[in-house]
Amino acid sequence: MTSTEAAAIALQDHAALWSAGEVRAGDVVDAACEALVAGLDSPGLRILAACTRAEADYELHDLLPAALGELGLSFHPAGSEAGQEAAVRALARRMLAGELTPREFTFRIHQRHGHELPLTERLAALDDEYDILDYGDRTSDQVDAEVTVEARRLAGRPAVPAGPADAPDRAARTDPRVSR
């Protein structure tokens, strides 16, 4: 994955998490700045990145959809099912990056969505399993492993990382600059 692809995913994730109330507006502005540094560019992204933290709290509602649209990224309105699912996928990527423990990840998902969002039903059930570890026959490590598998599925990552031999072919499939 190129740095611009990673920056686009990070910006998209921050937008989804902001819409879901998981991060502050200033965090989205920081992601916009990082996207510019990584090589993404559009007029709306520049305006968004130039916001102060105080301005972001008031301006993000208007600036973010346009900036994402110019970059070909999606904006999901707060409360939409697509937005909720995008935020769940972003949290899964954060857990896989080590920013959340598996227990914290399931707790946040269960707290926000309960057993109502079909995409997260398994995570809510795994959160319940953490609560009964003292009375069951499973260990925390076993539940952590299952949460990690579920997070990989949600984040769109394979269960086993691809080896170096796959890298050139993977680059050809994902990088539009590589001739086919």
Side-chain angles (χ1 to χ4, degrees):
M1 178 181 315
T2 67
S3 63
T4 55
E5 289 170 331
I9 290 169
L11 181 59
Q12 180 84 63
D13 283 355
H14 276 84
L17 291 170
W18 175 76
S19 287
E22 292 280 342
V23 299
R24 298 179 321 250
D27 297 327
V28 179
V29 170
D30 291 344
C33 291
E34 291 170 14
L36 280 172
V37 170
L40 290 176
D41 196 11
S42 77
L45 183 63
R46 287 184 223 144
I47 294 168
L48 180 60
C51 282
T52 65
R53 289 189 183 278
E55 291 170 335
D57 288 334
Y58 300 101
E59 301 292 332
L60 203 62
H61 292 280
D62 295 327
L63 298 176
L64 186 58
L68 293 176
E70 290 171 359
L71 296 169
L73 302 174
S74 299
F75 176 75
H76 304 289
S80 69
E81 188 169 334
Q84 292 173 348
E85 290 181 358
V88 167
R89 293 178 193 288
L91 285 173
R93 282 187 280 278
R94 285 188 164 197
M95 192 220 87
L96 293 170
E99 296 175 32
L100 297 170
T101 66
R103 178 66 174 116
E104 291 167 332
F105 174 54
T106 61
F107 179 78
R108 286 173 78 170
I109 296 299
H110 197 184
Q111 184 179 38
R112 181 161 302 269
H113 304 289
H115 292 266
E116 302 303 315
L117 189 62
L119 183 72
T120 62
E121 172 54 34
R122 184 65 191 133
L123 291 171
L126 288 167
D127 184 55
D128 291 337
E129 288 192 35
Y130 280 115
D131 294 336
I132 61 167
L133 284 175
D134 291 340
Y135 310 105
D137 58 350
R138 295 187 61 171
T139 67
S140 180
D141 288 342
Q142 290 171 322
V143 178
D144 286 353
E146 198 169 336
V147 170
T148 301
V149 167
E150 187 67 8
R152 283 190 180 116
R153 181 186 71 79
L154 291 170
R157 291 189 181 172
V160 178
D166 184 42
D169 184 49
R170 187 173 55 250
R173 288 193 312 267
T174 59
D175 190 345
R177 297 171 296 179
V178 175
S179 301
R180 290 181 171 74

